[in-house]
Short mmCIF file of all heavy atoms in Angstrom, two decimals:
data_model
loop_
_atom_site.label_atom_id
_atom_site.label_comp_id
_atom_site.label_asym_id
_atom_site.label_seq_id
_atom_site.Cartn_x
_atom_site.Cartn_y
_atom_site.Cartn_z
N GLY A 27 -6.30 -2.98 -1.68
CA GLY A 27 -6.37 -2.18 -2.93
C GLY A 27 -5.69 -2.89 -4.05
O GLY A 27 -6.13 -2.94 -5.20
N VAL A 28 -4.50 -3.45 -3.80
CA VAL A 28 -3.74 -4.15 -4.81
C VAL A 28 -4.44 -5.45 -5.20
O VAL A 28 -4.67 -5.74 -6.41
CB VAL A 28 -2.30 -4.49 -4.28
CG1 VAL A 28 -1.58 -5.43 -5.20
CG2 VAL A 28 -1.50 -3.29 -4.06
N THR A 29 -4.89 -6.23 -4.27
CA THR A 29 -5.48 -7.55 -4.58
C THR A 29 -6.88 -7.36 -5.17
O THR A 29 -7.40 -8.25 -5.87
CB THR A 29 -5.55 -8.44 -3.29
OG1 THR A 29 -6.36 -7.87 -2.33
CG2 THR A 29 -4.16 -8.80 -2.93
N GLY A 30 -7.54 -6.17 -4.96
CA GLY A 30 -8.83 -5.89 -5.51
C GLY A 30 -8.71 -5.16 -6.83
O GLY A 30 -9.67 -4.59 -7.33
N ASP A 31 -7.47 -5.09 -7.45
CA ASP A 31 -7.22 -4.42 -8.72
C ASP A 31 -7.59 -2.90 -8.69
O ASP A 31 -7.88 -2.30 -9.74
CB ASP A 31 -7.91 -5.12 -9.85
CG ASP A 31 -7.36 -6.47 -10.12
OD1 ASP A 31 -6.14 -6.68 -9.91
OD2 ASP A 31 -8.08 -7.36 -10.51
N GLN A 32 -7.50 -2.25 -7.53
CA GLN A 32 -7.73 -0.84 -7.40
C GLN A 32 -6.43 0.02 -7.42
O GLN A 32 -6.42 1.11 -7.80
CB GLN A 32 -8.52 -0.50 -6.16
CG GLN A 32 -9.93 -1.09 -6.18
CD GLN A 32 -10.44 -1.46 -4.79
OE1 GLN A 32 -9.74 -1.39 -3.83
NE2 GLN A 32 -11.73 -1.68 -4.71
N LEU A 33 -5.34 -0.72 -7.08
CA LEU A 33 -3.99 -0.09 -7.10
C LEU A 33 -3.13 -0.91 -8.00
O LEU A 33 -3.09 -2.13 -7.91
CB LEU A 33 -3.38 -0.08 -5.71
CG LEU A 33 -4.25 0.62 -4.56
CD1 LEU A 33 -3.51 0.54 -3.23
CD2 LEU A 33 -4.52 2.06 -4.91
N ALA A 34 -2.35 -0.27 -8.87
CA ALA A 34 -1.51 -1.00 -9.84
C ALA A 34 -0.13 -1.12 -9.23
O ALA A 34 0.76 -0.34 -9.26
CB ALA A 34 -1.38 -0.13 -11.10
N VAL A 35 0.05 -2.35 -8.65
CA VAL A 35 1.31 -2.77 -8.08
C VAL A 35 1.59 -4.23 -8.46
O VAL A 35 0.70 -5.05 -8.49
CB VAL A 35 1.26 -2.63 -6.49
CG1 VAL A 35 2.57 -3.11 -5.88
CG2 VAL A 35 1.00 -1.17 -6.08
N ASP A 36 2.87 -4.51 -8.75
CA ASP A 36 3.21 -5.79 -9.15
C ASP A 36 3.18 -6.82 -7.95
O ASP A 36 3.99 -6.75 -6.99
CB ASP A 36 4.67 -5.84 -9.69
CG ASP A 36 5.09 -7.15 -10.37
OD1 ASP A 36 4.65 -8.23 -9.94
OD2 ASP A 36 5.88 -7.04 -11.28
N THR A 37 2.18 -7.75 -8.00
CA THR A 37 2.04 -8.65 -6.92
C THR A 37 3.16 -9.67 -6.78
O THR A 37 3.47 -10.15 -5.70
CB THR A 37 0.65 -9.37 -6.97
OG1 THR A 37 0.63 -10.07 -8.28
CG2 THR A 37 -0.46 -8.44 -6.77
N GLU A 38 3.79 -9.94 -7.90
CA GLU A 38 4.99 -10.90 -7.79
C GLU A 38 6.12 -10.23 -7.05
O GLU A 38 6.85 -10.87 -6.28
CB GLU A 38 5.38 -11.37 -9.24
CG GLU A 38 4.39 -12.36 -9.80
CD GLU A 38 4.81 -12.90 -11.13
OE1 GLU A 38 6.05 -12.82 -11.44
OE2 GLU A 38 3.93 -13.34 -11.88
N GLU A 39 6.34 -8.94 -7.29
CA GLU A 39 7.38 -8.25 -6.51
C GLU A 39 6.99 -8.19 -4.99
O GLU A 39 7.79 -8.29 -4.13
CB GLU A 39 7.55 -6.77 -6.99
CG GLU A 39 8.32 -6.68 -8.28
CD GLU A 39 8.70 -5.24 -8.60
OE1 GLU A 39 8.11 -4.27 -8.05
OE2 GLU A 39 9.59 -5.11 -9.48
N MET A 40 5.69 -8.03 -4.81
CA MET A 40 5.22 -8.00 -3.40
C MET A 40 5.51 -9.42 -2.73
O MET A 40 6.05 -9.45 -1.69
CB MET A 40 3.76 -7.74 -3.27
CG MET A 40 3.39 -6.28 -3.49
SD MET A 40 1.60 -5.99 -3.41
CE MET A 40 1.14 -6.42 -1.74
N ALA A 41 5.24 -10.45 -3.47
CA ALA A 41 5.51 -11.82 -2.88
C ALA A 41 6.97 -12.04 -2.70
O ALA A 41 7.36 -12.60 -1.69
CB ALA A 41 4.90 -12.84 -3.86
N ASP A 42 7.76 -11.54 -3.61
CA ASP A 42 9.26 -11.72 -3.46
C ASP A 42 9.71 -10.97 -2.29
O ASP A 42 10.64 -11.39 -1.52
CB ASP A 42 10.01 -11.27 -4.71
CG ASP A 42 9.75 -12.21 -5.90
OD1 ASP A 42 9.31 -13.35 -5.66
OD2 ASP A 42 10.06 -11.84 -7.06
N ALA A 43 9.22 -9.76 -2.09
CA ALA A 43 9.70 -8.88 -0.98
C ALA A 43 9.24 -9.46 0.37
O ALA A 43 9.93 -9.44 1.43
CB ALA A 43 9.17 -7.47 -1.09
N GLY A 44 7.93 -9.99 0.34
CA GLY A 44 7.37 -10.51 1.63
C GLY A 44 7.01 -9.54 2.71
O GLY A 44 6.57 -9.90 3.79
N GLU A 45 7.17 -8.23 2.41
CA GLU A 45 6.87 -7.17 3.31
C GLU A 45 6.63 -5.93 2.64
O GLU A 45 6.91 -5.76 1.46
CB GLU A 45 8.01 -7.03 4.40
CG GLU A 45 9.37 -6.54 3.81
CD GLU A 45 10.53 -6.62 4.73
OE1 GLU A 45 10.42 -7.35 5.71
OE2 GLU A 45 11.45 -5.88 4.49
N LEU A 46 6.08 -4.95 3.37
CA LEU A 46 5.88 -3.66 2.87
C LEU A 46 6.60 -2.62 3.76
O LEU A 46 6.66 -2.91 4.96
CB LEU A 46 4.43 -3.27 2.84
CG LEU A 46 3.52 -4.10 1.95
CD1 LEU A 46 2.02 -3.81 2.22
CD2 LEU A 46 3.83 -3.95 0.50
N ASP A 47 7.07 -1.55 3.22
CA ASP A 47 7.66 -0.45 3.96
C ASP A 47 6.52 0.53 4.22
O ASP A 47 5.90 0.99 3.25
CB ASP A 47 8.83 0.30 3.31
CG ASP A 47 10.11 -0.57 3.28
OD1 ASP A 47 10.26 -1.46 4.19
OD2 ASP A 47 10.96 -0.30 2.46
N VAL A 48 6.24 0.85 5.47
CA VAL A 48 5.14 1.75 5.86
C VAL A 48 5.80 2.91 6.56
O VAL A 48 6.35 2.73 7.65
CB VAL A 48 4.07 1.10 6.70
CG1 VAL A 48 2.89 1.98 6.92
CG2 VAL A 48 3.55 -0.18 6.00
N HIS A 49 5.69 4.14 5.93
CA HIS A 49 6.35 5.32 6.48
C HIS A 49 5.35 6.27 7.04
O HIS A 49 4.46 6.74 6.32
CB HIS A 49 7.16 6.03 5.43
CG HIS A 49 8.17 5.17 4.69
ND1 HIS A 49 9.37 4.78 5.30
CD2 HIS A 49 8.16 4.61 3.51
CE1 HIS A 49 10.02 4.02 4.46
NE2 HIS A 49 9.30 3.90 3.30
N LEU A 50 5.38 6.57 8.33
CA LEU A 50 4.49 7.56 8.88
C LEU A 50 5.01 8.92 8.50
O LEU A 50 6.16 9.27 8.74
CB LEU A 50 4.54 7.40 10.47
CG LEU A 50 3.78 8.58 11.20
CD1 LEU A 50 2.26 8.59 10.88
CD2 LEU A 50 4.01 8.39 12.64
N ILE A 51 4.14 9.74 7.85
CA ILE A 51 4.64 11.06 7.33
C ILE A 51 3.80 12.20 7.88
O ILE A 51 4.11 13.33 7.55
CB ILE A 51 4.63 11.02 5.79
CG1 ILE A 51 3.42 10.75 5.17
CG2 ILE A 51 5.75 10.12 5.28
CD1 ILE A 51 3.37 10.81 3.65
N GLY A 52 2.80 11.90 8.76
CA GLY A 52 2.06 13.03 9.31
C GLY A 52 0.70 12.69 9.70
O GLY A 52 0.26 11.53 9.66
N ASP A 53 -0.07 13.70 10.12
CA ASP A 53 -1.45 13.55 10.46
C ASP A 53 -2.31 13.87 9.30
O ASP A 53 -1.99 14.64 8.42
CB ASP A 53 -1.88 14.56 11.62
CG ASP A 53 -1.11 14.29 12.91
OD1 ASP A 53 -0.84 13.13 13.16
OD2 ASP A 53 -0.74 15.23 13.58
N GLN A 54 -3.52 13.30 9.25
CA GLN A 54 -4.45 13.53 8.11
C GLN A 54 -5.87 13.28 8.68
O GLN A 54 -6.15 12.26 9.23
CB GLN A 54 -4.19 12.55 6.96
CG GLN A 54 -4.97 12.88 5.72
CD GLN A 54 -4.59 14.12 5.04
OE1 GLN A 54 -3.46 14.65 5.20
NE2 GLN A 54 -5.46 14.66 4.24
N PRO A 55 -6.70 14.28 8.47
CA PRO A 55 -8.13 14.07 9.04
C PRO A 55 -8.92 13.19 8.11
O PRO A 55 -8.56 12.93 6.98
CB PRO A 55 -8.59 15.56 8.96
CG PRO A 55 -7.88 16.20 7.89
CD PRO A 55 -6.52 15.58 7.92
N GLY A 56 -10.07 12.68 8.68
CA GLY A 56 -10.98 11.93 7.93
C GLY A 56 -10.86 10.40 8.17
O GLY A 56 -10.15 9.98 9.07
N GLU A 57 -11.64 9.64 7.44
CA GLU A 57 -11.71 8.23 7.59
C GLU A 57 -10.58 7.50 6.89
O GLU A 57 -9.88 8.06 6.12
CB GLU A 57 -12.99 7.75 6.99
CG GLU A 57 -14.21 8.27 7.66
CD GLU A 57 -15.53 7.70 7.07
OE1 GLU A 57 -15.49 6.61 6.40
OE2 GLU A 57 -16.55 8.34 7.30
N ALA A 58 -10.37 6.22 7.27
CA ALA A 58 -9.29 5.39 6.65
C ALA A 58 -9.59 5.33 5.17
O ALA A 58 -10.71 5.00 4.77
CB ALA A 58 -9.21 4.07 7.39
N ARG A 59 -8.52 5.42 4.36
CA ARG A 59 -8.64 5.41 2.94
C ARG A 59 -7.32 5.40 2.23
O ARG A 59 -6.34 5.80 2.82
CB ARG A 59 -9.51 6.53 2.40
CG ARG A 59 -8.86 7.87 2.61
CD ARG A 59 -9.87 9.01 2.59
NE ARG A 59 -9.29 10.38 2.71
CZ ARG A 59 -8.93 10.83 3.94
NH1 ARG A 59 -9.07 10.13 5.09
NH2 ARG A 59 -8.50 12.10 4.00
N VAL A 60 -7.24 5.05 0.94
CA VAL A 60 -6.12 5.23 0.11
C VAL A 60 -6.35 6.44 -0.76
O VAL A 60 -7.42 6.63 -1.33
CB VAL A 60 -5.95 3.97 -0.81
CG1 VAL A 60 -4.74 4.24 -1.77
CG2 VAL A 60 -5.66 2.70 -0.04
#
């Protein structure tokens, strides 16, 4: 989503961080999506 310009996130900050924090927060029905 970020690299396809669908999500507004600073890619230079992503590159500097080198990782993402992914927090599981519950169940959600349906297909994979943002």
Side-chain angles (χ1 to χ4, degrees):
V28 170
T29 59
D31 291 328
Q32 297 151 346
L33 305 179
V35 176
D36 187 329
T37 54
E38 289 184 20
E39 281 190 346
M40 284 177 65
D42 289 344
E45 64 189 21
L46 298 171
D47 285 339
V48 183
H49 307 284
L50 172 62
I51 56 177
D53 297 324
Q54 187 71 20
E57 296 182 18
R59 65 202 180 279
V60 175

